[in-house]
Structures are given as structure tokens and as C-alpha cells.
Amino acid sequence: MSLEVQRCNDCSRRWFPIRLCCPGCGASAFRTEVVGRGRVEEVTTLPDGRVLASVMAEGEIPLVARLIGTVQSGDEVAITTDPTASGPSAYVPHGSLEEEKA
Amino acid sequence: MSAVALVGAGERPYTRHPADALSTPQVLLSAVRRALADAGLRNQDVDGLGVSSFTLEPDHAIDLAWRLGLRLKWLMQDTNGGASAISMLQHAVRAIEAGDATVVVLVAGDRMDARAFSKLVAQYNAATASHLTPLPMAGPNALFALLTQRQMKSWELSREDYGQLVVTQRAWARRNPGAVYRTPLTMTDYLAAPMVAEPLGRYDCVPPVTGADAVVVTADDTGRGNPRARIRAVTTRYNTDDQVGDGIRTGLADSAAELWHGAGVGPSDADVISVYDDYPAMAISQLVDLGIVSPGEIRHYLAEQVATGRAAINTSGGQLSAGQAGSAGGMHGLVEVVQQLRRRAGDRQVSGRIGLVSGYGMVLYRYGSCANAAVLEAAS
């Protein structure tokens, strides 16, 4: 499952997590797009073996992800919202609009 | 320069293991009483109250005012965590200048046991609950590990550089009976500590504690004749980059020129400094953003100025050694600088006239979004 992000209808910039207004231009009308891949930047391993990372999606959207499979800094990987996906990939919990409204 | 001063300060001693009966209102009360006693004032003198606490719910500022028996003309609650102290101070200065209040108490703190801490970090905001907690991620250590890696690369820093700050703060803590961690710490201990999230080891991460801090703010004229810390300037910034920057640059970079211009002094005039140290990387970012040191000079500065004690930075031991009492994180550094300027810092007293305090906090998705600072001046 691919990650859905916002694209501003006015200035075309993309955002995640979702915003109410576009920080770039102030408009509040967005469409939803999916992002497929991202470049892994910094990587950190936790004591239980989980690997968390900064991932830059399509050169524009910085994400916080858990890496699945053998992935190194600098790699291009698939971004998934499925925590059980096979590697190499970067898991980004999608959450829901309702949760963020809550 | 304002005509407002800090005339008293107090800290409810921090503890890692609060008694079952100790509640958040009680730790806040303890800090309020200590700050008022320090100022030589009584409850009846207070007509303004500002409160910041993560664990006061279901109560709010008005409930605390009621339970303290305060009759007020001015009341606020601030939700900005490590930036709440200076945020409230900014409001209090204006309230006193405008005549809305004459004696304001600002208090921040929490009963922050393991359960309260886990609950706080899992539901810190909607974005955290939706996009970080399910990773799973429990608390901000991993985010600041990633940020520290960016800083190490950008500014060519090593773990030993961060260790200089951490080990020196522990040495200051040894002179602060209120610090939770006071046992000696060497660079070898620092480097050998268990990894929490590469490159952060145990001593790079603030220990959550229970406690509270408070200050008393009045017109400068009211405090005349008593030791006090005059407020020369306060600046704040919120959400300066929409969480799409590197996080190494804080909102202080945007406000530093305004801060120093307002204060009428410069970074080299600061005699005693508290920077918000949730992680050593953030303390260093704030020193850079405030103009205390340039990125290319950090290593030399840490070794020659900080480690030698020539630069008086986080003289309480900072949160890294004294502990992070929830929302009191920012107030802790303010209390320390106020007491240094009022010559009430005991065994760790330093000389000097100008104090600098910064606050930082509220991780929205990748790093903190609030940053502020105050320049204070000793007067008596």
C-alpha cells in the first residue's frame, strides 16, 4: 500500500502529515496523491533491533520511517503503509484523517 | 529593555521515584511556595498566575488558582513544554508593563513517573499518534538520534564533542544538591554507556523526573533594593520551518538579532547561560543560533571554554544531569540563571552581570517547533 500525501491545488507543493492550509501559499484546497519511493538519509538502530530512518520521498517530502529488510543510507526504497510488507522498504504509518482531527 | 524583573525563584526538588501520594498540584504548590518565600512575598500579594503542566488534567490553571486560594487579575496556561517558561515570561512582561498585574507567579512542572511519561509521548500530538507511535516509536530519542547525525555531518562533530558538554554538565551537577544525577562521569564512562539510538548513548538522553520550578515577576521598581534579574529582552518563534528543514537550525536563528538588539548587549556579554538541553545536539544548536559560537569553532569552544568552566553553561547540571521534570524543562534553566544573577547559586556561583536563557520544545513530527530566549541582567 502506498502512502498518500497532499498536493496543494494552487502551488503544487506536497505535504505530509496533512495540513489545513498549504505552508507554501496559504491555500486550503488539496488533492491526494501517492508517493512510491524515497531516498534513505539518516538511519538509527534501536536496542531491540528496529531500524528507524529519515526518508526523503521523491526529493520533496521528509518522512520518518521504519526500515524493512536490508537497507542502507543512500538507498532508494519503496515506501509502504503496510507494516508486514517485505523488504527492502520503508514503512510509514498512514494514520487517518479522523485521528488527526481528533 | 523592559522595566520588569524576576525577584524570586524556586524549585521543588526533583525525584526519579515520586511517592504514590505526590500529585502534580502538590509539586506545583511546592515550587510556588519556594519562589514566593525567596521573593519575600505572600500568597495575598499575587495577582497573576501562569501555569504549564502536561499532567494537570482534568484541572486547568483556574483550578490551580482556586486550590492555591489566589485571587487574580491575570491568568494563563501555556502548552509549549520546554518553551513554556519563556513563552509565559514574554506574556508576563507585557501584563506588568500594561498594568494588568503587579505580582505574577509562573510555575511549570509535572509528576512524571514512567506511566505518565509513556502516555505523554505516545499521544504527544495527533501527528505523533498517527505516524510515529505505530512505527513503533516510544518517545523522541530516535528522532534526535537522526537529527544528531545530521548535525555531526554538517558541523563535523564527533561523539567526544558531545561528551565534553555532557561530562562538564555532570561536573556542575556535583555542585548542585538539587540535581538527580551527581556521581562523577568521565569521558570513558560517557563513550562506554549503552546505546539508546546511534549515536545517542544513555547520557545523551534526559532522564524524566518529577518536580516543578517557579519564578516571581514584578515591576523592576517594586524589587528595588533587593537582588533581582532585570528582563532586558524576550523573543519567541513558533513553527519557523513547517518541519521540512534539518532541525539543526532552531527558531532562535531567526530571532537572535532581535533579541540582542532589544537587550542592548551582544552574545559575548553573556556571563551565565542556560540552553535547553533535552539532547546535547540541541544545546549546541542553540549556542550557535544565539551567536555564542560559530559552527566551525564548536569543537574548540567545547574543549577550551566549556570543559574548562570558563564559559558558565548549564551550571545546574542542566536537564541532562538534574533531570527533566516534564513541562518544567524550560523553567529549570530560567530558575538557575535567575539564582546565579541574584548570587544565590551556592557552591556553583559564578560572577557576572548578564544572563542568557533559552527554551525549546514541542516536537510536531521530526523535531521541536518552538524556540525562545531571554536576556537578563543582575540588579540590586
Side-chain angles (χ1 to χ4, degrees):
Chain A
M1 290 181 284
S2 297
L3 181 69
E4 293 185 339
V5 302
Q6 291 175 307
R7 186 186 287 275
C8 175
N9 282 345
D10 281 12
C11 76
S12 294
R13 281 192 67 178
R14 290 182 293 176
W15 305 96
F16 183 88
I18 61 161
R19 312 297 160 87
L20 297 167
C21 294
C22 174
C25 73
S28 56
F30 298 92
R31 55 188 182 276
T32 300
E33 291 187 357
V34 298
V35 287
R37 300 185 71 77
R39 183 182 171 83
V40 177
E41 297 184 332
E42 300 81 24
V43 176
T44 190
T45 303
L46 304 186
D48 66 3
R50 271 177 295 135
V51 181
L52 301 180
S54 298
V55 175
M56 184 62 78
E58 298 179 1
E60 185 178 24
I61 312 159
L63 302 171
V64 182
R66 174 162 59 82
L67 301 181
I68 300 171
T70 304
V71 182
Q72 291 181 331
S73 176
D75 288 357
E76 285 274 341
V77 292
I79 294 167
T80 179
T81 57
D82 176 6
T84 64
S86 53
S89 56
Y91 163 57
V92 178
H94 188 264
S96 73
L97 192 60
E98 289 310 309
E99 277 178 62
E100 290 195 34
K101 281 177 179 167
Chain B
M1 169 124 170
S2 78
V4 179
L6 293 136
V7 298
E11 182 168 279
R12 195 275 176 201
Y14 290 179
T15 175
R16 285 282 277 172
H17 305 288
D20 288 345
L22 185 65
S23 67
T24 289
Q26 282 163 340
V27 293
L28 295 171
L29 161 67
S30 176
V32 168
R33 293 198 80 85
R34 287 162 196 269
L36 281 172
D38 188 48
L41 295 167
R42 301 169 306 162
N43 280 26
Q44 300 92 300
D45 300 315
V46 177
D47 61 3
L49 177 69
V51 183
S52 181
S53 176
F54 289 121
T55 56
L56 192 56
E57 82 281 345
D59 281 5
H60 296 96
I62 183 58
D63 299 280
L64 187 69
W66 174 46
R67 295 185 65 192
L68 291 169
L70 299 177
R71 287 164 177 74
L72 303 172
K73 296 158 69 181
W74 185 91
L75 177 67
M76 71 171 291
Q77 187 158 0
D78 190 288
T79 57
N80 294 311
S84 63
I86 291 170
S87 171
M88 293 195 290
L89 187 65
Q90 182 187 44
H91 290 291
V93 167
R94 304 302 173 227
I96 289 165
E97 286 179 338
D100 290 338
T102 57
V103 175
V104 171
V105 173
L106 305 176
V107 61
D110 283 286
R111 179 198 160 89
M112 193 56 75
D113 57 18
R115 189 160 154 243
F117 184 76
S118 298
K119 183 181 166 197
L120 174 70
V121 298
Q123 299 166 15
Y124 204 62
N125 62 357
T128 298
S130 292
H131 307 303
L132 298 179
T133 302
L135 280 168
M137 181 188 288
N141 289 337
L143 295 177
F144 285 92
L146 301 171
L147 186 153
T148 301
Q149 288 185 30
R150 289 193 285 276
Q151 188 185 68
M152 290 172 84
K153 196 172 166 192
S154 295
W155 293 347
E156 298 180 345
L157 299 177
S158 66
R159 285 204 70 217
E160 284 82 354
D161 295 320
Y162 297 104
Q164 295 273 22
L165 183 67
V166 173
V167 167
T168 306
Q169 286 192 197
R170 179 60 61 89
W172 283 111
R174 286 178 56 70
R175 297 194 246 165
N176 176 11
V180 163
Y181 290 105
R182 302 180 67 205
T183 52
L185 184 71
T186 66
M187 182 65 85
T188 307
D189 299 331
Y190 169 82
L191 293 171
M195 272 290 143
V196 172
E198 175 75 28
L200 303 183
R202 176 181 291 165
Y203 298 111
D204 293 303
C205 304
V206 278
V209 299
T210 289
D213 290 78
V215 293
V216 183
V217 192
T218 70
D220 190 45
D221 277 346
T222 310
R224 201 166 289 281
N226 295 312
R228 61 201 190 278
R230 228 179 247 148
I231 300 159
R232 293 190 72 109
V234 182
T235 57
T236 62
R237 289 293 187 276
Y238 303 105
N239 184 37
T240 45
D241 68 2
D242 298 298
Q243 301 280 296
V244 296
D246 59 17
I248 301 169
R249 187 183 196 277
T250 74
L252 293 172
D254 289 353
S255 65
E258 178 187 323
L259 177 76
W260 294 116
H261 178 77
V265 294
S268 62
D269 296 314
D271 300 306
V272 57
I273 298 172
S274 284
V275 282
Y276 192 85
D277 60 329
D278 49 351
Y279 298 90
M282 293 322 304
I284 290 170
S285 275
Q286 289 161 69
L287 291 170
V288 168
D289 289 346
L290 289 162
I292 301 297
V293 62
S294 63
E297 294 165 352
I298 293 167
R299 178 167 295 168
H300 180 76
Y301 179 77
L302 289 169
E304 300 300 322
Q305 299 296 316
V306 175
T308 57
R310 285 192 197 111
I313 294 177
N314 293 347
T315 52
S316 67
Q319 298 179 73
L320 288 168
S321 280
Q324 181 179 59
S327 229
M331 194 70 83
H332 175 80
L334 179 62
V335 166
E336 175 66 13
V337 169
V338 167
Q339 298 301 53
Q340 286 282 357
L341 295 178
R342 296 174 69 236
R343 306 288 180 257
R344 295 192 180 191
D347 290 344
R348 61 189 189 281
Q349 182 68 55
V350 300
S351 60
R353 186 176 65 88
I354 300 294
L356 172 64
V357 188
S358 66
Y360 172 80
M362 304 315 288
V363 176
L364 301 183
Y365 179 55
R366 297 174 59 230
Y367 45 78
S369 58
C370 306
N372 45 31
V375 176
L376 311 178
E377 176 188 27
S380 60

